[in-house]
Amino acid sequence: MEALDIARWQFGITTVYHFLMVPLTIGLGIVVAAMQTAWVRTGKEQYLRMTKFWGKLFLINFILGLATGLVQEFQFGMAWSEYSRFVGDVFGAPLALESLLAFFTESVFLGLWIFGWKRLPKKVHLACLWITTLASMLSAYFILAANSWMQHPVGVEMVDGRPVMNDIWAVLTNNTLLVAFPHTIFGAFAVAGGFLIGIAWYHLWKRRRDGIDTVDAKGNVVVGERPEIGRDKTDHSVWLRSLRIGAVVAMISFAGVAVSGDLQGKLMFEQQPMKMAAAEAACHDGTGFSVLSIGDPGAENCEDVDTLVEIPGMLSFLANGDFDTEIRGVNTLLEQYQDDYGTHLPADEMYGTNSGAEIDYTPNFAVTYWGFRIMIGFGSIAAIASAYALWAVRKGTVPESKWLMRLAVFGILAPFGANSAGWIFTEMGRQPFVVAPNPTGSDGVFMFTAAAVSPGVSMGELLFSVITFTVVYLALLIVEVMLLFKFVRGGVPAAMPDLLGGDDGATGGMNSPGGDPDGTPGKKKDDVLDFAY
Amino acid sequence: MSLPLFWFIVIAFLWVGYLFLEGFDLGVGMLMKLMARDEKDRRVLLNTIGPVWDGNEVWLITVGAMTFAAFPMWYASLFSALYLPLVLVLLGLIFRAVSIEYRGKHDSDSWRNRWDWGMALGSFAAAFGVGAALGLTTTGLPLNENGDRVGGAFAWLTPYALLGGVAVVAFCLVHACVFLMLKTDGQIRDRARRIVMRWLPVGILPLAAWAIIVQFMNAKVATLPLLVIAVVGALLAWIYARRGRDGLSFISLGIFLVAGAATIFASMYPVVLPSTLDAAWNLTVDNASASPYALKVMSWVALFGLPVVVLYQGWTYWVFRKRVTTEAIPAPHSFKNQ
């Protein structure tokens, strides 16, 4: 272990963690906004309940995404100061655009939405949520612009050994970005879809278990009622509709992820051939796609990898759209990289203990190969599951099976897994570069990760922060999941306690002198805080 | 006006905006443990900042990102040199955000109490860390010719860092009390006013001392009038508080902050981060800034974006302009899992 490794672990941990929250925020945000729109347009109670319930879960998740996003922005300067100096002229711009044009909007209008119930006119209040969610998508766009520049630097020229921006438009329309953005957004919707399916399934199942809903001879659901615990007929339509929305969202997003992913793959064969070769465990030039390859788990080089099952022609298809183009394998690429970018790091003190070290151009095989497959595999599982879910509820409720319900709830994790695997694959696959060279771009615009770390920061500082962040993040993840479970189990009344007849003393004597304004609408028109903390 | 100078002013503006806005919500966070006496009080405090704290915090994110874009060398040197205080700031901000959102999500006294501590300590850590970082930005760090800190993980730990930290914490506390005079009514408002009347002179003292020190370090006469304005602002804030003129008191304290910070930034110019080892290694607006093209792009963005942000953020304050009182706080809801 050296400072570089710790800094990389820290970046990986904080980024993957942050990206557990972000897709749910983006995907669920749009879904909740659509639900509220349906409510404003139709006035149907079911949509209000859906908005409140899913909105609560959205907020619980949003806040942790927001809090951990700060770390992302600060750590470029903190742990990667040489990187910041090298790329600052171009990389800082999308970050600044993000904070000023997107993050501000997101935060301010979210506050307005949380506190604006009954205080703002209905349509203005709804607009606040739309603005928030669209801003979070814009935010994703700018962040991906920054990341895409690291994958494929454009819009710069080299001046005195540093890339200097000469075309912001090129940075914001980078072809890498134009495919990464839809891929990421569809990935976010897949997360939201799975989330809706799993939770709605659980509630429909619970209604059957508790004997509220029954099934007639033809298998159609007979919706029952228990209004005293907030599980009336509207409650049923809340879950049924949520599940259907979730399934449709998940299936559309899977199609979107597949199409954008294919485009992204083709682009990547061009821009970062080594990453793709490693993902396919393709050591020698060829056309075959490896379905299963095995090797020594710590395989550092190609000779340790055995391909067991291979589909001929498939690799060419993925890379090029035909079946017979020879795709360059790791061995060929290795020679080319060594010719183009050298075999050893310069003997310069900025490289610390890595100064003069041999450069390993092959990324970690196990991580890239399996990361790629986990991403696709988990994504496909989620798609098949959502198609099944849509079919299963055609008669208005879910099957009685407890195991199926558990599977649906557990299935929420699949798109999360796919997202994380995708990011780990794409980031680790670009090693040993932090800024991967653009094969058709300006010469010299690339940077080795070993050169990017902060020279002045000590091992101790990095260790302290990576341990602290990891511990705090784990603790907060437990808290978030616990709260999500609590509010999921509470169903709609968890988000709308007045469904149960207002404050019925269940809270243990916290009654205010002014009475409970929620229970007596109209009595206190001047409530500042209808949705207070 | 040259672009680097323009960007120096933008960064200074963002810092002052951050201290002014998040200043009171950091202070309110600390007061959750220092001033609130019961659950009702705590919820009043929380709800005075509820709709706005998140937007306030983005000023810090933006100042970080804007510094990265406009002065990459400043950003890289400052953030890596201040590694530990910034970890403190990040942890503080994480705990604060989560505390605000999660404290009311479960109905139990120990649960709420734990998040109140998260809120109070998180706010303290963030305020202190930001203050220490800013203090050092203006007084200097041991930087070598590459802009990297020498002298180990604690090289930043100097009396100036402590002064900056204490200055921001103390200012946040009085600023929050003045804010509470304006935003609440009844007992909490009275208590806030009593605190302001007694503690305002003490609360602004370290910040004033910091401004004076930077002023003398850089020996500039031109910024002296700003210092005078700052002192007058503080004096007025105190007098208006005594007379019960909450709004004027709040504005006057704002003038103190703006003029005080302007003194500091203006007397530093053109240095943005002094090296205490050799003045030749100082980072200045010229040697730390991005290329003219990047600055031009960012200038258009800032000229369009900043006024829009100020407008809609102002609108939020207008929407939630009502005073928050204990009567307006609804009873917490609970639900049983069926």
Side-chain angles (χ1 to χ4, degrees):
Chain A
M1 275 287 193
E2 47 183 308
L4 174 64
D5 300 308
I6 304 169
R8 285 185 61 190
W9 271 107
Q10 174 165 295
F11 197 88
I13 291 170
T14 52
T15 308
V16 168
Y17 186 83
H18 177 59
F19 206 75
L20 290 178
M21 324 299 161
V22 171
L24 188 59
T25 297
I26 293 176
L28 196 56
I30 297 278
V31 171
V32 173
M35 288 168 173
Q36 194 178 342
T37 308
W39 175 62
V40 169
R41 292 182 62 131
T42 66
K44 279 189 189 160
E45 167 78 10
Q46 58 169 347
Y47 291 118
L48 175 63
R49 292 193 190 179
M50 283 158 78
T51 310
K52 291 266 187 174
F53 175 78
W54 297 108
K56 200 84 160 190
L57 303 186
F58 167 72
L59 289 178
I60 291 171
N61 173 71
F62 182 98
I63 200 67
L64 207 49
L66 173 123
T68 53
L70 295 169
V71 180
Q72 299 311 325
E73 191 194 288
F74 274 42
Q75 70 174 328
F76 293 114
M78 289 165 66
W80 303 95
S81 64
E82 279 303 329
Y83 171 77
S84 303
R85 288 188 185 115
F86 182 68
V87 302
D89 201 70
V90 54
F91 188 83
L95 290 189
L97 287 166
E98 191 256 355
S99 62
L100 190 66
L101 302 182
F103 203 19
F104 254 127
T105 321
E106 204 176 334
S107 305
V108 169
F109 285 90
L110 185 73
L112 281 160
W113 185 70
I114 298 177
F115 282 76
W117 285 97
K118 290 187 199 169
R119 183 148 182 84
L120 290 167
K122 258 189 191 176
K123 287 187 176 164
V124 176
H125 181 244
L126 172 61
C128 289
L129 182 58
W130 274 112
I131 293 172
T132 302
T133 52
L134 293 177
S136 62
M137 283 177 64
L138 187 64
S139 184
Y141 187 85
F142 286 126
I143 295 303
L144 288 171
N147 181 267
S148 297
W149 191 85
M150 299 163 84
Q151 310 283 354
H152 183 235
V154 292
V156 287
E157 58 188 336
M158 287 302 276
V159 177
D160 298 333
R162 279 209 175 87
V164 169
M165 183 159 65
N166 60 15
D167 189 354
I168 178 81
W169 195 240
V171 175
L172 295 178
T173 57
N174 192 344
N175 55 9
T176 317
L177 166 64
L178 296 182
V179 293
F181 179 67
H183 195 64
T184 311
I185 295 295
F186 281 123
F189 279 108
V191 166
F195 196 71
L196 262 77
I197 295 173
I199 291 167
W201 190 293
Y202 163 74
H203 274 286
L204 285 171
W205 173 84
K206 201 163 80 159
R207 286 176 63 95
R208 286 196 70 173
R209 182 203 62 185
D210 295 352
I212 300 172
D213 297 340
T214 47
V215 173
D216 66 13
K218 286 182 183 167
N220 292 317
V221 69
V222 180
V223 180
E225 280 210 273
R226 286 195 56 196
E228 75 282 6
I229 53 170
R231 286 158 72 186
D232 50 16
K233 287 188 171 159
T234 313
D235 184 59
H236 175 268
S237 57
V238 164
W239 302 122
L240 186 62
R241 180 129 301 222
S242 296
L243 192 150
R244 286 184 172 147
I245 293 174
V248 170
V249 165
M251 287 189 325
I252 293 174
S253 40
F254 183 74
V257 166
V259 171
S260 57
D262 179 57
L263 291 174
Q264 203 175 12
K266 289 187 165 52
L267 206 56
M268 215 39 64
F269 271 109
E270 214 175 287
Q271 295 174 348
Q272 293 177 31
M274 186 63 105
K275 181 193 280 183
M276 296 311 282
E280 306 306 349
C283 293
H284 307 286
D285 301 358
T287 63
F289 173 82
S290 144
V291 177
L292 183 64
S293 295
I294 54 161
D296 166 12
E300 288 292 320
N301 75 58
C302 255
E303 311 314 320
D304 301 335
V305 179
D306 291 315
T307 300
L308 299 181
V309 188
E310 200 179 72
I311 307 177
M314 186 68 184
L315 188 60
S316 311
F317 181 73
L318 287 178
N320 214 28
D322 60 38
F323 295 96
D324 39 27
T325 314
E326 283 261 304
I327 302 304
R328 289 171 299 171
V330 172
N331 294 337
T332 312
L333 289 166
L334 205 53
E335 279 173 30
Q336 195 195 327
Y337 274 88
Q338 283 169 346
D339 283 352
D340 291 351
Y341 310 108
T343 53
H344 290 79
L345 288 171
D348 188 321
E349 65 178 304
M350 76 186 274
Y351 291 95
T353 51
N354 289 308
S355 131
E358 194 179 343
I359 307 169
D360 181 8
Y361 285 103
T362 49
N364 186 317
F365 271 131
V367 169
T368 43
Y369 184 84
W370 288 110
F372 191 63
R373 276 152 188 76
I374 290 173
M375 171 179 76
I376 294 174
F378 276 18
S380 318
I381 290 173
I384 296 165
S386 49
Y388 170 74
L390 205 54
W391 181 78
V393 297
R394 72 196 179 286
K395 289 180 175 172
T397 190
V398 297
E400 228 169 345
S401 157
K402 184 172 189 174
W403 280 103
L404 220 47
M405 181 277 289
R406 287 192 176 157
L407 218 56
V409 172
F410 196 66
I412 293 174
L413 296 177
F416 282 99
N419 274 323
S420 299
W423 272 113
I424 291 170
F425 161 65
T426 199
E427 298 300 282
M428 297 229 355
R430 110 175 103 77
Q431 300 305 327
F433 296 104
V434 61
V435 178
N438 174 355
T440 57
S442 174
D443 273 351
V445 185
F446 64 86
M447 187 182 211
F448 291 111
T449 309
V453 74
S454 297
V457 172
S458 65
M459 281 269 283
E461 282 165 288
L462 284 160
L463 265 178
F464 166 74
S465 64
V466 75
I467 292 171
T468 320
F469 281 130
T470 309
V471 170
V472 166
Y473 278 9
L474 267 178
L476 291 178
L477 189 65
I478 293 168
V479 173
E480 178 185 340
V481 170
M482 195 201 86
L483 279 177
L484 286 175
F485 265 104
K486 174 187 150 108
F487 277 85
V488 163
R489 272 213 295 267
V492 177
M496 300 176 80
D498 35 323
L499 269 182
L500 302 177
D503 180 34
D504 57 1
T507 53
M510 291 306 304
N511 294 315
S512 69
D516 176 14
D518 278 0
T520 51
K523 189 177 133 200
K524 289 179 60 123
K525 278 186 188 150
D526 288 342
D527 288 339
V528 185
L529 305 159
D530 195 54
F531 195 111
Y533 284 126
Chain B
M1 178 165 42
S2 75
L3 281 179
L5 170 59
F6 171 74
W7 272 93
F8 182 70
I9 295 170
V10 171
I11 301 288
F13 171 78
L14 288 168
W15 271 120
V16 177
Y18 174 70
L19 290 175
F20 181 83
L21 291 171
E22 183 137 285
F24 60 75
D25 71 52
L26 288 172
V28 168
M30 290 184 262
L31 292 175
M32 290 284 281
K33 277 288 164 200
L34 291 176
M35 175 186 172
R37 288 182 185 161
D38 56 22
E39 174 60 12
K40 268 282 144 74
D41 284 2
R42 283 188 283 272
R43 292 187 66 199
V44 168
L45 293 195
L46 201 56
N47 281 294
T48 58
I49 58 168
V52 295
W53 69 271
D54 192 358
N56 296 344
E57 196 167 296
V58 181
W59 285 77
L60 181 67
I61 325 282
T62 306
V63 80
M66 291 289 210
T67 309
F68 196 173
F71 298 102
M73 310 298 157
W74 185 8
Y75 169 80
S77 295
L78 184 69
F79 278 54
S80 61
L82 297 175
Y83 198 90
L84 288 179
L86 290 180
V87 170
L88 193 71
V89 170
L90 289 172
L91 291 171
L93 292 176
I94 290 172
F95 271 105
R96 244 170 69 80
V98 174
S99 301
I100 294 173
E101 187 59 40
Y102 287 178
R103 98 180 273 286
K105 294 274 186 288
H106 179 69
D107 192 22
S108 125
D109 287 337
S110 62
W111 170 269
R112 280 188 288 261
N113 187 41
R114 227 167 287 152
W115 290 118
D116 288 341
W117 276 110
M119 175 79 173
L121 293 177
S123 304
F124 173 79
F128 189 87
V130 164
L134 271 179
L136 291 166
T137 310
T138 58
T139 53
L141 279 158
L143 302 177
N144 63 19
E145 74 274 28
N146 190 37
D148 296 316
R149 182 199 64 204
V150 292
F154 290 96
W156 56 273
L157 192 56
T158 64
Y160 291 124
L162 297 179
L163 174 67
V166 171
V168 172
V169 169
F171 172 77
C172 288
L173 284 170
V174 287
H175 189 40
C177 287
V178 176
F179 173 75
L180 289 176
M181 279 165 36
L182 189 63
K183 276 299 289 181
T184 62
D185 218 337
Q187 278 198 8
I188 297 188
R189 186 182 177 192
D190 295 340
R191 236 183 299 150
R193 178 174 309 117
R194 279 200 301 276
I195 297 175
V196 170
M197 275 154 40
R198 190 176 306 162
W199 291 102
L200 186 131
V202 181
I204 62 154
L205 207 59
L207 186 57
W210 172 10
I212 292 167
I213 288 173
V214 177
Q215 162 85 22
F216 274 93
M217 272 181 155
N218 295 288
K220 265 193 204 146
V221 188
T223 51
L224 266 177
L226 285 170
L227 204 55
V228 176
I229 295 174
V231 174
V232 172
L235 206 61
L236 283 177
W238 195 50
I239 292 170
Y240 282 130
R242 298 189 84 89
R243 292 195 188 155
R245 306 291 300 274
D246 307 337
L248 287 171
S249 179
F250 187 68
I251 292 170
S252 306
L253 193 62
I255 291 172
F256 162 75
L257 176 73
V258 173
T263 312
I264 294 174
F265 280 108
S267 54
M268 278 174 73
Y269 180 85
V271 176
V272 292
L273 185 60
S275 166
T276 51
L277 300 182
D278 186 338
W281 299 336
N282 285 351
L283 294 179
T284 67
V285 287
D286 289 315
N287 70 22
S289 66
S291 70
Y293 174 80
L295 288 180
K296 206 168 87 186
V297 169
M298 294 314 301
S299 300
W300 283 111
V301 173
L303 284 173
F304 161 77
L306 274 176
V308 175
V309 167
V310 170
L311 267 182
Y312 64 59
Q313 210 167 15
W315 180 61
T316 318
Y317 281 89
W318 175 252
V319 169
F320 301 107
R321 64 194 176 279
K322 273 224 151 70
R323 288 179 189 268
V324 182
T325 61
T326 42
E327 287 75 32
I329 301 284
H333 287 294
S334 187
F335 58 90
K336 294 179 211 124
N337 284 325
Q338 275 104 22

